[in-house]
Amino acid sequence: MISEKIILGIDPGTAIMGFGIISVKKGKMEMVSIHELILKKYPNHETKLKYIFDRTLALIDEYHPDEVALEAPFFGKNVQSMLKLGRAQGVAMAASLYRNIPITEYSPKKIKMAITGNGNASKEQVAGMLQNLLNLKEFPTKYLDASDGLAVAVCHHFNSGTIANTKSFSGWESFLKQNPDRLK
């Protein structure tokens, strides 16, 4: 039995990308770190993607997570935004797989449901519940994207051992085996 597990949660974004890291020891969660990448200042999408990859690798190398959990892209009306968001998620996935860390995706509704019990909860409600669940006196960031990254990590902990509505990959081979239509 694993005595400690580190989980990196990622909320992909192209304006702000949130990261939350928790430690689970004997079933007890503790926040290790919370980060956000402010990507608005970068001149183009390609530069943002490189920075996402580099920063994700740096966090992996610093905190050595056992697992990575990501929020799946939200299916909105703007196709261009969806495409850019999918690329940001893909780059974060690639960084995790590059370090051979298993990844799992969760839908935004599943994350909100795991944290608050309401799949339509607001970002503020999610942050408030995280503050309570992790015994934080105050929330360590003003960006709700960072708290969303933390929510993904907590959701993953709550769902460890379950398979429903998640996709999990242990490496490129596993990803390709589960997604044969992505091969060209």
Side-chain angles (χ1 to χ4, degrees), residues 3-15:
S3 62
E4 180 181 5
K5 180 168 39 173
I6 306 288
I7 302 169
L8 168 60
I10 302 173
D11 175 31
T14 55

Side-chain angles (χ1 to χ4, degrees), residues 71 74 106-126 129 148 151 155 165:
E71 183 174 312
F74 175 77
Y106 295 95
S107 71
K109 277 194 180 282
K110 183 166 182 90
I111 295 164
K112 291 175 181 181
M113 181 63 90
I115 304 303
T116 68
N118 176 2
N120 295 313
S122 69
K123 287 178 174 274
E124 291 81 9
Q125 289 171 317
V126 170
M129 278 302 291
D148 285 351
C155 172
N165 293 330

Side-chain angles (χ1 to χ4, degrees), residues 51-94:
Y51 189 63
I52 290 167
F53 185 84
D54 291 344
R55 189 66 179 121
T56 304
L57 273 181
L59 287 170
I60 289 168
D61 291 344
E62 181 177 352
Y63 293 101
H64 308 288
D66 299 290
E67 299 169 0
V68 171
L70 295 107
E71 183 174 312
F74 175 77
F75 298 100
K77 294 177 184 174
N78 186 330
V79 176
Q80 283 299 316
S81 294
M82 180 68 182
L83 178 62
K84 288 179 179 179
L85 188 59
R87 288 176 179 163
Q89 182 200 32
V91 168
M93 291 171 85

Side-chain angles (χ1 to χ4, degrees), residues 149-181:
L150 189 60
V152 178
V154 172
C155 172
H156 183 67
H157 168 62
F158 287 161
N159 285 280
S160 291
T162 64
I163 303 173
N165 293 330
T166 63
K167 287 186 178 180
S168 188
F169 313 108
S170 58
W172 285 115
E173 189 174 306
S174 169
F175 177 82
L176 292 174
K177 196 176 285 184
Q178 292 181 42
N179 295 281
D181 57 313

Side-chain angles (χ1 to χ4, degrees), residues 15-19 35-40 51-52 55-56:
I16 300 173
M17 190 163 183
F19 296 91
H35 296 272
E36 65 274 331
L37 296 180
I38 309 300
L39 299 163
K40 299 173 202 175
Y51 189 63
I52 290 167
R55 189 66 179 121
T56 304

